[in-house]
Amino acid sequence: MAVIRVDIAGRPYDVRVGTGLLTDLAAQCGARLRKRQVPIVTDTNVHAAWGPAVEASLRDAGLEPCWRILPPGEHTKSWDELGATVNWLLGLGVERGDHIIALGGGVIGDLTGFCAAVLKRGCHFIQVPTTLLAQVDSSVGGKTAVNTPAGKNLVGAFHQPALVLADLAALDTLRQRELRAGYAEVVKYGLIDDPAFFGWCEANGAAMIAGDAALREYAVAHSVAAKARIVAQDEFETTGQRALLNLGHTFGHALEAQTGFSDRLLHGEAVALGMVLAAHYSARQGLMPQAEADRIGRHIGSVGLPASLRDLGLNCDGAALVHHMTHDKKMDAGTLPFLLLRGIGQTYLDKQVSLDDVARFLDTKLA
Ligand code: GLY
């Protein structure tokens, strides 16, 4: 098992990456579970796959799991569900010193984390991420949120978990498409500041997605370590370091909005294509060699992720995509900071990008 420390000032915590953590959940959580009743928030899919194993682990330790089993999908990350889940936790008598368990992907982690942030002005929670995307990104770093009619993740809080348990066995129950989508966030760490890791991805990404256990452990642990380092430097996204984690997300968000945040384009797929577009835009601006942008696109495409805007078959122009971008929560006094690349592993935040120019660029990619 790999243990990665997230060195947040005053509130450091560990991310454990290994196989068998779910069946050993009670021992992994240890004395954090200080009362017999253990509140667990999950969704129906994860409960079907892992509920019995978690139930057995807790009951064998003399604990009583109290389940809140929600519908899967983004709709669950709502004000209504936030209120209902907080009321449920209050009904259970959860106190500030207690730990709530978030068992699932990003939706469950974000919702449960937000509940923990506001319950009695903040109680503890443990992230038990079951998707690749949640293991390498959303469960680490304390971003919590719900969606509102105005947009995704527009309401939330920074609230760090007390512990993250990333069980690699959970990846075996994921659909290949979901695994691939999560893999986009793995590649992201190479593109941000780790060209050697991007090379590792080129050599090993396909085998990792296909199921190689050792490669999976390396990919998740390496990604978590990268995220931990960045989050420890800039917990609240104030210095620009943490913003680097948004590589591909501005383009990606526009694509998700254009496709209605639907199954047509999963979040990780949108990030994958978004990173390719960020690279091609950077090359067009003369910031990075075109050959490097092409190399990024080739790798993304080679693992079955979308790498060409044309292939999405969108019925819109560049201006429509840019219009979606202007609803981004990173908008700042009429400008939108973009994550661009000076090369593989050299991502930086550019505040001088012209949205009209981005629209023209996107027109060429849509044509
Ligand atoms: N997913 C981006 C961040 O945690 O900052």
Side-chain angles (χ1 to χ4, degrees):
M1 180 171 71
V3 181
I4 299 115
R5 176 141 283 224
V6 186
D7 219 349
I8 300 279
R11 285 159 292 121
Y13 57 94
D14 285 342
V15 182
R16 298 184 199 147
V17 178
T19 300
L21 305 182
L22 281 161
T23 49
D24 191 35
L25 189 66
Q28 292 294 331
C29 294
R32 290 179 186 83
L33 305 183
R34 58 183 196 155
K35 291 184 185 156
R36 205 171 67 81
Q37 288 196 321
V38 180
I40 310 176
V41 182
T42 191
D43 70 30
T44 49
N45 291 340
V46 177
H47 186 260
W50 292 102
V54 166
E55 179 96 20
S57 169
L58 294 178
R59 289 207 182 273
D60 287 352
L63 300 166
E64 183 195 337
C66 299
W67 293 97
R68 183 160 180 82
I69 305 167
L70 302 172
E74 282 291 331
H75 293 302
T76 286
K77 240 173 80 174
S78 65
W79 277 117
D80 284 352
E81 202 51 71
L82 177 79
T85 302
V86 165
N87 284 335
W88 174 76
L89 291 163
L90 290 171
L92 285 178
V94 172
E95 298 171 339
R96 300 180 74 180
D98 295 339
H99 290 72
I100 306 163
I101 294 180
L103 173 69
V107 166
I108 291 297
D110 281 9
L111 175 79
T112 310
F114 197 13
C115 291
V118 296
L119 190 92
K120 301 189 175 170
R121 298 208 182 98
C123 69
H124 304 301
F125 79 118
I126 297 172
Q127 288 271 23
V128 188
T130 55
T131 63
L132 181 58
L133 193 136
Q135 293 189 352
V136 300
D137 182 35
S138 61
S139 69
V140 180
K143 275 191 179 175
T144 73
V146 293
N147 302 325
T148 69
K152 257 180 86 174
N153 293 337
L154 290 182
V155 178
F158 285 100
H159 188 63
Q160 300 292 338
L163 176 69
V164 182
L165 300 171
D167 188 342
L168 299 164
L171 305 183
D172 294 334
T173 54
L174 291 183
R175 293 178 300 153
Q176 279 286 305
R177 184 180 174 199
E178 209 172 340
L179 257 176
R180 276 200 302 268
Y183 176 71
E185 301 276 2
V186 173
V187 175
K188 183 182 80 177
Y189 294 109
L191 295 179
I192 289 175
D193 63 359
D194 191 347
F197 186 57
F198 182 75
W200 184 92
C201 289
E202 287 178 309
N204 300 293
M208 191 228 105
I209 293 169
D212 185 295
L215 295 179
R216 281 186 178 177
E217 175 157 356
Y218 181 79
V220 174
H222 194 89
S223 300
V224 168
K227 176 135 193 194
R229 178 170 39 79
I230 292 172
V231 166
Q233 285 166 1
D234 182 17
E235 181 183 1
F236 299 112
E237 206 165 312
T238 46
T239 68
Q241 265 311 97
R242 186 167 185 159
L244 300 179
L245 294 169
N246 294 323
L247 176 62
H249 284 62
T250 304
F251 286 104
H253 181 85
L255 301 175
E256 280 185 279
Q258 185 64 31
T259 49
F261 294 99
S262 66
D263 244 22
R264 195 167 152 206
L265 191 69
L266 301 180
H267 174 69
E269 294 170 339
V271 168
L273 183 47
M275 293 190 299
V276 175
L277 291 170
H280 279 287
Y281 184 73
S282 301
R284 177 179 175 270
Q285 301 306 97
L287 293 163
M288 78 188 285
Q290 183 63 47
E292 287 211 15
D294 291 341
R295 185 178 155 199
I296 294 169
R298 257 197 318 278
H299 177 55
I300 296 283
S302 75
V303 296
L305 282 165
S308 152
L309 194 48
R310 222 161 277 133
D311 293 349
L312 273 193
L314 298 180
N315 189 16
C316 70
D317 61 5
L321 293 177
V322 164
H323 180 72
H324 292 305
M325 291 178 185
T326 59
H327 293 117
D328 196 296
K329 59 185 173 308
K330 294 183 287 298
M331 273 303 282
D332 184 24
T335 64
L336 182 58
F338 272 78
L339 280 310
L340 300 183
L341 298 103
R342 295 196 177 95
I344 290 171
Q346 296 177 61
T347 296
Y348 75 102
L349 191 67
D350 194 320
K351 296 189 174 169
Q352 310 295 329
V353 174
S354 148
L355 289 176
D356 289 340
D357 191 46
V358 172
R360 281 192 292 275
F361 160 75
L362 289 170
D363 280 336
T364 67
K365 293 290 172 190
L366 286 158

